Amino acid sequence: IPVRHSGADKALSAAAFDHIIVFRLPKDYHNLKVLLKAEALGTDPAPLMTGGGNIPPDKLLDMIRERNFIMLDLEMQHGFADASALYAKSGDPQEIDLVLDHACYAQMRRMAEAHENTFIRDYCELEVDLLNCRTFVRLREVGKPWEFFQKVFLQGGRLQEQSFTGNYEEPSSRNGSHRSALESCSAAAL
């Protein structure tokens, strides 16, 4: 991944900077989603792009417009190609999010597994679990079917898909309680 070199970045050791790349990845994937959707809808992506990633937004914009992916990791290249193809087939911009979210967290998992630093591995697992828990609650509240949750479920956390299976179809109580699934989420965080 090409990286931005701000003053703060230059002060970091190579090892510390290598660790930070993992944490910046979701910003890069956010920008990829914005760029692909803006391209599909014919809108200006700049207002929705964010800094803080490994690739400056203006550089990523140029790469995507020129279809010059040589500086992108293979996971990003494949994610972008898959999301583009699926969107072209379905016309559903939500497919862009799904494909690129899966690619992002798969890349984070691969990078975390390569580290000897257990904090980074644990962080990535817990981040995936948190996203899956929030998705579980949100999709249940809006009445999406279990099959949709299976489609968006991210691999790589401590919680497996089966942790949510029996809880999805239960009617949620008036106060939004999802007790057993949230207990699984809490247990995963420990």
Side-chain angles (χ1 to χ4, degrees), residues 56-118:
D58 59 329
K59 300 278 188 231
L60 189 57
L61 176 62
D62 291 342
M63 284 187 242
I64 300 306
R65 282 188 177 156
E66 296 167 11
R67 292 299 194 253
N68 181 2
F69 303 125
I70 196 159
M71 297 302 287
L72 296 180
D73 283 332
L74 283 177
E75 287 101 335
M76 272 191 191
Q77 290 180 32
H78 292 298
F80 187 83
D82 292 348
S84 296
L86 195 54
Y87 174 76
K89 196 182 292 186
S90 73
D92 183 359
Q94 190 173 41
E95 296 288 354
I96 294 168
D97 291 328
L98 297 176
V99 171
L100 290 176
D101 283 346
H102 281 276
C104 176
Y105 290 98
Q107 184 174 354
M108 283 180 71
R109 183 174 58 249
R110 180 194 55 79
M111 292 173 79
E113 288 170 354
H115 281 284
E116 292 179 15
N117 185 325
T118 58

Side-chain angles (χ1 to χ4, degrees), residues 25-174:
L25 229 91
K27 301 281 189 183
D28 293 329
Y29 276 92
H30 164 81
N31 288 337
L32 276 178
K33 290 190 272 188
V34 168
L35 288 167
L36 188 51
K37 288 178 184 180
E39 187 176 86
L41 301 172
T43 61
D44 178 18
L48 298 174
M49 295 182 75
T50 185
N54 296 303
I55 307 168
D58 59 329
K59 300 278 188 231
L60 189 57
L61 176 62
D62 291 342
M63 284 187 242
I64 300 306
R65 282 188 177 156
E66 296 167 11
R67 292 299 194 253
N68 181 2
F69 303 125
I70 196 159
M71 297 302 287
L72 296 180
D73 283 332
L74 283 177
E75 287 101 335
M76 272 191 191
Q77 290 180 32
H78 292 298
F80 187 83
D82 292 348
S84 296
L86 195 54
Y87 174 76
K89 196 182 292 186
S90 73
D92 183 359
Q94 190 173 41
E95 296 288 354
I96 294 168
D97 291 328
L98 297 176
V99 171
L100 290 176
D101 283 346
H102 281 276
C104 176
Y105 290 98
Q107 184 174 354
M108 283 180 71
R109 183 174 58 249
R110 180 194 55 79
M111 292 173 79
E113 288 170 354
H115 281 284
E116 292 179 15
N117 185 325
T118 58
F119 173 79
I120 292 174
R121 288 194 305 265
D122 290 346
Y123 172 84
C124 289
E125 288 175 354
L126 291 173
E127 178 74 8
V128 167
D129 286 336
L130 178 61
L131 288 168
N132 284 331
C133 288
R134 286 193 321 221
T135 301
F136 170 83
V137 172
R138 190 170 43 244
L139 293 180
R140 275 197 49 180
E141 288 300 316
V142 298
K144 289 283 191 176
W146 169 250
E147 293 74 26
F148 189 76
F149 178 76
Q150 290 176 302
K151 187 176 182 178
V152 300
F153 180 82
L154 298 169
Q155 300 293 326
R158 294 177 184 174
L159 292 174
Q160 300 303 309
E161 189 177 303
Q162 299 88 315
S163 304
F164 299 94
T165 306
N167 303 308
Y168 199 83
E169 300 299 333
E170 292 175 6
S172 58
S173 69
R174 189 164 169 74

